[in-house]
Amino acid sequence: MAFKHVNKGVRRVDAYEKVTGKAKFGADLEFANMLHAKVLRTEYPHAEIKKIETAAAEGMPGVKGVFTAQDIPNNLFGVIVQDQQVLADKKVLLAGDGVVMAVAETEAQAAAALEKIEVEYKELEGVFDPLESRKEGALKLHPGKDDNQVIHHPLRKGDVEKGFAEADVILEREYTTQFIEHSYLEPEAVVVVPNEENHLVSVYGSIQNPYATRNAVSAVLEVELAEVRVIQNHIGGSFGGKDEVVSAMAARAAVMALKTGRPVKMVNSREESFTESYKRHPYHLTYKIGATKEGKLTAMEIEAVADSGGYACQTPFVTWRSVVQATGPYEVENVKTDTYGYYTNNPYTGAMRGYGSPQVIFAQESLMDELAAELGLEPVELRKRNMYSQGSVTASGQKLERHTVSLNEVMTKAMEAIDYKKKYEEYSGEQPGDKKKGIGLSISFRGCSLGAEAIDAAASVIQINKDGSVAVYSGLAENGQGLKTIFSQIAAEVLGVPMSEVEFKELDTSFTPDSGSTVASRATLIGGNAIKDAAEKLKGRIMDFAADKYDFKVEQLELKDGFLYDGQGNRLATFADLTGEMGNTGILMSAYGWYKSPPISWDEEKGSGNPYFTYVYGCQIAEVEVDTGTGELNVINMAAAHDVGRAINPENVKGQIYGGVMMGLGYGIMEELEVRDGVIQGTNFHDYMIPTIQDMPDIKPVIVENPDPDGPFGAKSIGEPTLELGSAAIANAVAHASGRRIRSLPLNLERVLIGRALHKGGK
Amino acid sequence: MVEYQLLRAHSLEEVLEILTEKKKVQILAGGTDLMVDLHQQDPKFENIDYLLDITDVAELKGIKLGPEEGEIGALTTHAELLSSPEIKEKLPFIGAAASSIGSTQIRNRATIGGNLVNAAACADSFSPLIALGAELVLRNKGGARRVLLEDFVEWPNQTVLKDNEVLEKIVFKMPQGEYHSSYQKIGRRNAVSISRLSLTLLAEVENEAIKNIQVVSGAATPAPVPFREVNKYLTAKTFAEIDPAEAGEIAADEMVGITGERWSTPYKRPALSKLVERAVKDLLEEAGYNG
Amino acid sequence: MAKLDVEITVNGARHKLEVGSQERLLDTLREQLKMTGTKEGCSVGECGACTVIVDDQAVNSCLVLTAQVDGSEIITVEGLESKSGLHPLQKAFIEKQAIQCGFCTPGMLMSALALLNTNPTPTKEEIKTALEGNLCRCTGYQQIIDAVEMAAEEWGV
């Protein structure tokens, strides 16, 4: 099938604004008569609030109000469990909980007011380890809950006892992963304008999920959804991170905007962002695996314990993805998996690109290499003997048949791209000197979109103006990933108009339909289908009209490059004239698009069913050089092969791969948010290091295309798979190079040199 | 709330005048450390009434390397150091240290004097200059005094610079005859990274033997110091008598002797030992010894 | 606190301003001159989002007091586009898909411009060194390097 716009590396539709500095981000917004607000956050991870003294702050110059939990109509919110406090009321549950907020004429005045507020706390003992939190008799953190368990997802298949009895080799291993900061370059920012255009409040800012934010603000204010309007601006990165934390910020600003009757702006400093935002979940993982001496897996028993921090946030769903994918893409007859989340007094944890997959993949793909070594097999060979192929049945009992199971293809192509076989052999031999090279790989399957977490549907609106220009609205949001461009390409492809005729409009919850959140790598797949649906409806109307007008059969006509053609290549009309005439004839030239995912199922008791309607497959390979004298680790080359179904924009897909690989590299070798007794040690980028341009390996992106029957033009997902594979591939490469197996992330200087991490103040 | 008055000096004389007349003056040079303190509302600003910007003072800038002696003005930026052909040719380890500091933006502003006066334990400018036996010229209105760089820092972030003094320049004797040098740094990533460890080695050699040597580490000890035991072990030895691994062990012992067993010692001990071993090996190789 | 009089040239236009003693160049650009293209990402010189060019050098505008650059010539992202259209660097960033969220883009463009102004034919290593102080969390940097290389080629002609 020849495409005109789809499957092409067209330019981003938002590029001009972004290269000229014209693009307005949250902190760039100004409104007449605008006030500025700041939040006082606690330093205690667990404490009772005894007394709050605000009088002195209220009398400070420029101050228009000082507010506590008492001023919030409904203080609890949450996407899944409503346990998160807008401002801490009786207790603070984590160091960083907001307690008091002040609004003033200037940001400096608001900050000065905070210094005059006195909060009296009674410090409480805290729980800082989920393995402690789960113990019977542990200090209970949330009132009204019997224990500290946020969630437990079991999965049972076959009989693991029997499976281990059949095994010739059994390995038991523990792995741990760390807190990770999203590190979007733009700190959170919102402006809330009261009583604007018949809305009680309008919310502008760096918002990942406008509908989730609208839900939160309306719940907190106890007003109808229609009274809250959320408008998304350019957002400076999110990666799952600008959801609950921004919702809380918007809710606070909304309360103050209504109290003062003036627009209220809140912008976090980087330190405030580190202190209050949620993180990627640290996991404690226990894996037991059995295999025959021929290398056939017989059983897997898995336990994954996630630290949820002070609030439930997305823990129930994050750990659900973990339970589905915990075995990795391998056929195993007997599986017993349990994933858990527990409250602690640590920073709370939520959605971050990958969403419960990077942790289990690090463990399970490290384990596969350990098992291969135990069996005397090459890592690739062990994988080939067990990995999913067409028609395989997953741990939850889903038969993979509706889409192409391309694990072998992605693995083969990644291996070719990096010359794996030759390097594997070369580095398996003796290497003189301290600097040793190694190569390692990892593979994954990943369920696309939300799966059985929630209703999975999205909407769109397309409007053709009288001059033939096309306005596209989606309920899903640009996060920087390129959604506007992808959706514009799909609309242009269906309608046969040039890209220049398509205008993508900012998301505004007042008139774009609720499409859920822009998460789970679902935008292209679900949202793209909704765009396609609206465009096809309009195209149908145009073709019917044209067939009638020119006395052709619909099948003989074609819309292309902004013209209507007959079957012989003759132009019959311009798109603009044709659609203009339709409008003047009284034909509706707007259409809603809608897409609801194919059926899925999940039995929460047994952990069985068809949790996702389609999957993507990926393989990443890392080539490293380890300095066994100093612990320095250099990732030299990486190959990343991903089946995306169809690349709507291959250049954009490459951008996702490069970016995801680098984020995965950071996860693997340098990033770690150090939390000591609930308190983050270092709240800016000099303490928390993310990869710079100098840390970049040579990355070879490989796009594999096996169009999916349910994807728009066959497209599936790419955002998240790119970051979930790197850490295991690097850990395997390090083990190959140095012989040292590291089972905790990140693989920093200390772990690489002496096998364990060291912490300031530690023994 | 931080409050201060900003003053700008345009000559050294003006700087000294202000330092004499006013109390609680903090000098502002490149600002890459001080502006961070300002952002963080560091309590040290409670003792600062005046910020004195000296970035416009031409007398404090410049690199002069003579045959016998060299000097570097305190306001010389790291960018100027690493792009100086003279430094590259004669004192490459200074350029290497400068290029490892911060980013291009930081190096364009940050000064060598600021790095020394701020005196962070991990500051990268110390070890190369201590290896040179550098002295600092500290000037007040009454005149100047010279302080050996290794005596300059009392403890991290605390130096012997007095309130009425400004660091004018760094002076040192140029290495003579055949000499070799190296600079190594270990950080947590490949750029914009604070040193976990750094090491400078500077040696004058003659007749297949070490005539003079300085092995100095950064970030290994609270204040950077030369490793006297290592220097002693290496000085006057012929190349054939030197065991690089032993030199490494001596350095590691010496470091632990100074710091005691700390949380970071299990890593720093083997890593420092390796850096010293490599520096000595490289030296022997560069000097043409193939023993 | 007494205000200080300064005169700076921004993108060719002269501005006589009164600035506070704690006012950073970043604040002056964003708040006084309403040029919000320059971004604040960390305020401590680690991320490079606030990079501008001061007298031909890339600097973090969060680490410079405006009073310190009295008399200087400053270039910001707003100064790149001219009447004859987009700057070759801007075109290359668009062409090579070197942009995702766009928050680091202004700083990246300024660091790249400072490089090409002094070194029109940089090696890949020189590009990396020039951009090592500009963090990007989205792109993984590759397409940014591609863009700077492309701009160097086009601009050189």
Side-chain angles (χ1 to χ4, degrees):
Chain A
M1 187 171 174
F3 296 109
K4 197 77 195 165
H5 303 290
V6 156
N7 216 218
K8 303 257 186 302
V10 306
R11 295 167 179 182
R12 289 182 69 102
V13 300
D14 55 1
Y16 171 76
E17 283 172 82
K18 288 178 174 177
V19 297
T20 51
K22 292 185 166 81
K24 291 274 182 267
F25 293 78
D28 304 334
L29 300 175
E30 275 198 21
F31 291 84
N33 217 19
M34 186 170 79
L35 296 171
H36 300 262
K38 282 276 169 202
V39 177
L40 182 69
R41 298 175 178 88
T42 186
E43 294 169 3
Y44 300 106
H46 197 202
E48 268 176 46
I49 300 171
K50 306 296 283 184
K51 202 170 116 192
I52 301 176
E53 196 50 70
T54 61
E58 281 158 22
M60 292 283 286
V63 173
K64 295 292 159 194
V66 180
F67 306 99
T68 67
Q70 306 313 312
D71 300 296
I72 316 282
N74 167 25
N75 198 37
L76 290 179
F77 75 102
V79 172
I80 305 167
V81 182
Q82 285 72 48
D83 66 357
Q84 187 172 339
Q85 307 179 91
V86 178
L87 289 174
D89 184 8
K90 296 188 171 59
K91 269 202 339 180
V92 296
L93 285 157
L94 58 92
D97 260 342
V99 180
V100 190
M101 55 193 187
V103 62
E105 295 288 348
T106 70
E107 194 175 356
Q109 287 171 337
L114 294 187
E115 290 183 16
K116 300 289 177 193
I117 295 167
E118 281 176 36
V119 183
E120 194 186 307
Y121 295 99
K122 183 187 167 202
E123 272 191 81
L124 301 171
E125 230 178 284
V127 183
F128 305 113
D129 182 348
L131 298 182
E132 291 299 317
S133 176
R134 75 190 304 197
K135 284 182 183 162
E136 218 168 300
L139 185 69
K140 290 182 190 56
L141 300 182
H142 276 265
K145 283 214 59 148
D146 294 341
D147 55 31
N148 291 327
Q149 186 174 299
V150 176
I151 193 76
H152 170 213
H153 296 293
L155 181 150
R156 303 286 180 268
K157 181 191 185 190
D159 178 353
V160 284
E161 299 290 322
K162 183 173 143 278
F164 285 121
E166 289 163 9
D168 297 311
V169 173
I170 294 173
L171 287 190
E172 290 182 71
R173 294 287 184 267
E174 286 184 28
Y175 303 88
T176 60
T177 68
Q178 74 280 42
F179 281 105
I180 291 285
E181 180 76 19
H182 297 77
S183 307
Y184 28 75
L185 260 283
E186 177 210 25
E188 307 83 1
V190 298
V191 186
V192 175
V193 182
N195 302 307
E196 187 187 49
E197 290 170 25
N198 209 23
H199 292 88
L200 187 65
V201 286
S202 299
V203 183
Y204 300 79
S206 50
I207 298 158
Q208 176 178 328
N209 296 317
Y211 294 98
T213 294
R214 185 176 68 158
N215 288 346
V217 171
S218 105
V220 169
L221 296 180
E222 295 183 319
V223 301
E224 289 184 347
L225 289 171
E227 293 184 88
V228 179
R229 176 187 191 186
V230 180
I231 301 136
Q232 202 209 18
N233 304 99
H234 287 290
I235 178 169
S238 184
F239 316 110
K242 285 174 177 165
D243 197 334
E244 286 85 348
V245 66
V246 171
S247 290
M249 199 172 183
R252 290 167 183 166
V255 168
M256 290 185 280
L258 289 176
K259 295 264 186 193
T260 58
R262 292 171 63 178
V264 173
K265 181 176 188 175
M266 300 182 87
V267 181
N268 274 345
S269 67
R270 179 59 60 184
E271 289 84 359
E272 289 174 315
S273 174
F274 264 83
T275 302
E276 204 178 19
S277 68
Y278 53 87
K279 318 299 174 195
R280 186 194 293 289
H281 293 73
Y283 270 43
H284 185 273
L285 301 133
T286 317
Y287 271 73
K288 183 177 175 185
I289 191 166
T292 65
K293 55 182 183 299
E294 291 77 29
K296 190 70 202 149
L297 302 183
T298 60
M300 278 177 101
E301 188 172 344
I302 303 160
E303 187 184 81
V305 176
D307 187 345
S308 189
Y311 299 113
C313 194
Q314 303 270 329
T315 299
F317 291 170
V318 168
T319 51
W320 180 71
R321 184 173 282 277
S322 306
V323 86
V324 174
Q325 295 176 191
T327 59
Y330 303 107
E331 290 180 335
V332 195
E333 289 294 328
N334 308 292
V335 181
K336 175 174 183 280
T337 304
D338 294 277
T339 63
Y340 300 90
Y342 294 97
Y343 290 113
T344 65
N345 295 110
N346 284 327
Y348 74 120
T349 45
M352 182 175 178
R353 192 180 193 176
Y355 203 81
S357 73
Q359 297 95 333
V360 295
I361 291 173
F362 168 64
Q364 146 260 311
E365 282 299 272
S366 295
L367 181 66
M368 286 303 278
D369 266 37
E370 293 200 57
L371 181 62
E374 196 73 24
L375 291 166
L377 287 173
E378 288 193 3
V380 171
E381 189 50 40
L382 178 63
R383 285 176 174 80
K384 281 190 171 167
R385 290 184 192 180
N386 294 282
M387 70 192 187
Y388 293 156
S389 55
Q390 204 66 38
S392 285
V393 177
T394 68
S396 72
Q398 182 172 12
K399 192 168 187 201
L400 304 172
E401 53 187 353
R402 213 177 132 70
H403 63 277
T404 306
V405 179
S406 55
L407 268 174
N408 194 46
E409 186 181 355
V410 292
M411 195 161 86
T412 306
K413 286 186 169 163
M415 287 166 66
E416 281 166 7
I418 202 168
D419 204 3
Y420 175 87
K421 278 186 184 160
K422 187 173 145 253
K423 286 173 179 170
Y424 181 81
E425 264 171 45
E426 189 186 334
Y427 304 153
S428 295
E430 264 312 298
Q431 296 184 59
D434 291 333
K435 293 187 178 172
K436 320 272 190 200
K437 285 185 177 174
I439 193 161
L441 88 168
S442 64
I443 59 175
S444 74
F445 79 126
R446 181 183 184 88
C448 298
S449 197
L450 299 174
E453 283 169 21
I455 288 297
D456 200 356
S460 69
V461 180
I462 298 181
Q463 181 182 324
I464 300 173
N465 299 308
K466 282 187 178 170
D467 60 357
S469 60
V470 177
V472 177
Y473 303 84
S474 166
L476 293 171
E478 173 72 51
N479 280 194
Q481 81 281 46
L483 171 150
K484 291 179 184 176
T485 310
I486 301 305
F487 285 4
S488 300
Q489 285 178 265
I490 292 174
E493 184 71 41
V494 175
L495 291 172
V497 293
M499 281 289 284
S500 57
E501 288 301 310
V502 180
E503 295 290 329
F504 191 94
K505 302 300 178 190
E506 297 297 340
L507 194 161
D508 182 333
T509 57
S510 290
F511 53 86
T512 45
D514 189 346
S515 301
S517 289
T518 308
V519 296
S521 304
R522 69 189 280 265
T524 299
L525 175 56
I526 307 294
N529 269 323
I531 297 284
K532 192 160 169 272
D533 181 49
E536 279 168 352
K537 281 178 185 159
L538 286 168
K539 186 184 174 186
R541 274 175 227 166
I542 296 167
M543 293 309 238
D544 286 345
F545 180 84
D548 193 44
K549 178 177 160 94
Y550 296 103
D551 202 18
F552 277 94
K553 289 203 174 93
V554 165
E555 304 80 63
Q556 292 173 305
L557 296 170
E558 191 187 6
L559 282 171
K560 203 173 72 182
D561 305 330
F563 293 96
L564 176 74
Y565 288 89
D566 67 8
Q568 266 66 60
N570 301 310
R571 284 179 185 175
L572 298 175
T574 67
F575 183 85
D577 288 345
L578 187 64
T579 54
E581 189 183 336
M582 288 173 72
N584 289 333
T585 318
I587 296 171
L588 175 65
M589 294 310 287
S590 301
Y592 272 89
W594 182 246
Y595 181 77
K596 186 178 170 304
S597 69
I600 40 183
S601 62
W602 188 252
D603 181 329
E604 184 60 48
E605 305 270 294
K606 297 189 202 116
S608 62
N610 298 341
Y612 297 98
F613 67 89
T614 191
Y615 292 82
V616 286
Y617 302 89
C619 174
Q620 291 189 0
I621 306 182
E623 181 185 355
V624 304
E625 185 178 76
V626 178
D627 187 332
T628 57
T630 62
E632 287 166 291
L633 165 58
N634 207 359
V635 183
I636 315 162
N637 286 301
M638 282 193 74
H642 293 275
D643 187 344
V644 298
R646 166 107 56 207
I648 301 291
N649 187 323
E651 290 308 308
N652 199 304
V653 169
K654 280 186 202 160
Q656 287 296 308
I657 293 178
Y658 291 129
V661 165
M662 284 300 276
M663 199 180 268
L665 179 142
Y667 185 55
I669 74 173
M670 69 176 77
E671 292 179 38
E672 177 167 33
L673 189 82
E674 215 182 313
V675 178
R676 205 182 306 151
D677 291 342
V679 180
I680 297 168
Q681 309 295 305
T683 52
N684 209 321
F685 286 139
H686 42 237
D687 296 298
Y688 186 86
M689 295 201 160
I690 65 172
T692 70
I693 201 166
Q694 299 279 22
D695 298 293
M696 196 182 84
D698 192 3
I699 302 168
K700 293 185 178 65
V702 182
I703 300 173
V704 176
E705 294 185 293
N706 290 293
D708 191 277
D710 295 313
F713 302 101
K716 294 196 276 191
S717 306
I718 187 61
E720 292 174 281
T722 55
L723 117 324
E724 63 187 15
L725 286 153
S727 63
I730 292 168
N732 288 337
V734 168
H736 186 224
S738 69
R740 189 187 290 286
R741 169 59 58 184
I742 300 170
R743 300 189 185 90
S744 294
L745 293 178
L747 278 64
N748 57 22
L749 293 169
E750 292 83 358
R751 288 199 174 98
V752 174
L753 185 64
I754 61 171
R756 64 193 166 96
L758 302 171
H759 295 287
K760 207 171 195 165
K763 282 168 204 115
Chain B
M1 285 287 281
V2 168
E3 281 189 27
Y4 59 77
Q5 197 177 329
L6 183 70
L7 308 170
R8 286 202 86 195
H10 304 281
S11 69
L12 183 54
E13 195 188 340
E14 212 180 328
V15 172
L16 300 175
E17 201 69 42
I18 292 166
L19 289 176
T20 310
E21 278 173 14
K22 296 196 178 350
K23 297 270 168 280
K24 295 192 176 182
V25 183
Q26 167 70 51
I27 289 177
L28 169 65
T32 53
D33 287 320
L34 196 63
M35 291 294 291
V36 174
D37 297 337
L38 177 62
H39 167 70
Q40 292 166 345
Q41 302 273 297
D42 192 293
K44 81 188 208 187
F45 279 93
E46 284 166 24
N47 292 313
I48 297 171
D49 288 345
Y50 300 94
L51 218 54
L52 174 57
D53 174 30
I54 60 169
T55 46
D56 206 26
V57 179
E59 295 116 293
L60 298 178
K61 296 175 189 174
I63 303 162
K64 285 177 216 147
L65 302 184
E68 302 286 326
E69 292 194 336
E71 61 175 69
I72 298 172
L75 274 187
T76 307
T77 64
H78 299 300
E80 287 160 352
L81 285 170
L82 76 92
S83 62
S84 155
E86 262 191 304
I87 292 277
K88 196 171 192 167
E89 188 201 328
K90 295 174 187 163
L91 305 172
F93 54 104
I94 300 238
S99 71
S100 81
I101 293 173
S103 59
T104 294
Q105 293 97 312
I106 298 286
R107 292 188 294 268
N108 282 341
R109 293 288 299 175
T111 64
I112 191 163
N115 199 235
L116 298 177
V117 171
N118 195 50
C122 52
D124 292 311
S125 302
F126 279 92
S127 73
L129 292 172
I130 289 177
L132 276 171
E135 290 183 313
L136 304 184
V137 177
L138 310 179
R139 185 173 291 279
N140 66 15
K141 210 182 168 191
R145 63 175 173 133
R146 286 183 170 214
V147 174
L148 200 57
L149 180 55
E150 56 182 281
D151 298 332
F152 180 62
V153 181
E154 296 182 300
W155 55 83
N157 304 109
Q158 181 61 50
T159 71
V160 301
L161 187 75
K162 294 193 178 119
D163 285 349
N164 65 350
E165 288 177 326
V166 63
L167 169 58
E168 183 185 346
K169 58 188 172 185
I170 303 130
V171 295
F172 42 83
K173 296 229 166 18
M174 295 295 287
Q176 300 297 317
E178 181 188 346
Y179 62 93
H180 301 279
S181 68
S182 63
Y183 179 82
Q184 300 173 77
K185 171 171 167 172
I186 301 175
R188 293 207 178 276
R189 66 181 173 195
N190 294 337
V192 205
S193 178
I194 289 167
S195 284
R196 284 294 282 147
L197 274 177
S198 67
L199 191 86
T200 301
L201 178 147
L202 173 62
E204 293 173 342
V205 301
E206 205 173 68
N207 301 328
E208 300 241 319
I210 308 253
K211 196 175 158 200
N212 276 310
I213 189 157
Q214 284 288 342
V215 179
V216 192
S217 172
T221 50
V225 288
F227 286 126
R228 295 184 204 288
E229 296 300 318
V230 184
N231 294 341
K232 204 160 86 189
Y233 167 78
L234 293 166
T235 306
K237 277 213 169 59
T238 65
F239 294 162
E241 291 169 332
I242 292 170
D243 175 2
E246 195 182 342
E249 282 306 306
I250 296 170
D253 285 344
E254 198 170 351
M255 171 182 72
V256 179
I258 295 167
T259 61
E261 282 285 335
R262 303 183 69 229
W263 64 274
S264 57
T265 306
Y267 172 75
K268 285 192 174 176
R269 171 186 265 283
L272 177 73
S273 172
K274 186 56 78 174
L275 289 190
V276 171
E277 179 187 331
R278 282 182 190 164
V280 174
K281 259 190 196 162
D282 289 350
L283 159 69
L284 297 180
E285 231 175 82
E286 254 190 63
Y289 177 72
N290 305 310
Chain C
M1 274 288 139
K3 294 267 184 180
L4 301 131
D5 292 320
V6 299
E7 195 172 316
I8 53 175
T9 305
V10 183
N11 303 327
R14 230 175 237 220
H15 299 274
K16 283 191 173 180
L17 302 165
E18 282 193 341
V19 299
S21 64
Q22 296 183 36
E23 187 170 325
R24 305 166 301 172
L25 179 56
L26 175 63
D27 304 324
T28 305
L29 292 171
R30 287 182 57 87
E31 285 161 29
Q32 285 218 48
L33 301 177
K34 304 292 176 196
M35 298 169 76
T36 56
T38 304
K39 303 300 178 196
E40 181 160 18
C42 73
S43 325
V44 296
E46 285 283 326
C47 80
C50 69
T51 304
V52 300
I53 298 177
V54 177
D55 297 333
D56 302 325
Q57 288 194 317
V59 306
N60 293 307
S61 63
C62 72
L63 296 185
V64 183
L65 294 173
T66 307
Q68 284 186 287
V69 295
D70 188 12
S72 292
E73 294 235 8
I74 292 146
I75 299 170
T76 72
V77 68
E78 287 93 346
L80 271 180
E81 190 183 14
S82 66
K83 276 185 192 134
S84 53
L86 290 176
H87 187 277
L89 264 170
Q90 293 173 308
K91 286 186 193 162
F93 267 60
I94 294 174
E95 197 61 41
K96 292 290 175 185
Q97 302 263 17
I99 311 149
Q100 286 188 32
C101 84
F103 198 77
C104 76
T105 309
M108 287 284 181
L109 286 166
M110 288 299 104
S111 286
L113 180 66
L115 169 71
L116 296 186
N117 276 338
T118 52
N119 178 2
T121 54
T123 63
K124 190 178 238 187
E125 289 315 306
E126 286 167 338
I127 293 171
K128 284 186 179 179
T129 301
L131 301 182
E132 69 185 19
N134 293 80
L135 294 177
C136 172
R137 191 60 154 171
C138 298
T139 67
Y141 304 107
Q142 180 60 51
Q143 286 154 314
I144 293 174
I145 296 176
D146 296 344
V148 178
E149 283 177 339
M150 178 184 163
E153 268 173 42
E154 307 253 313
W155 200 7
V157 184

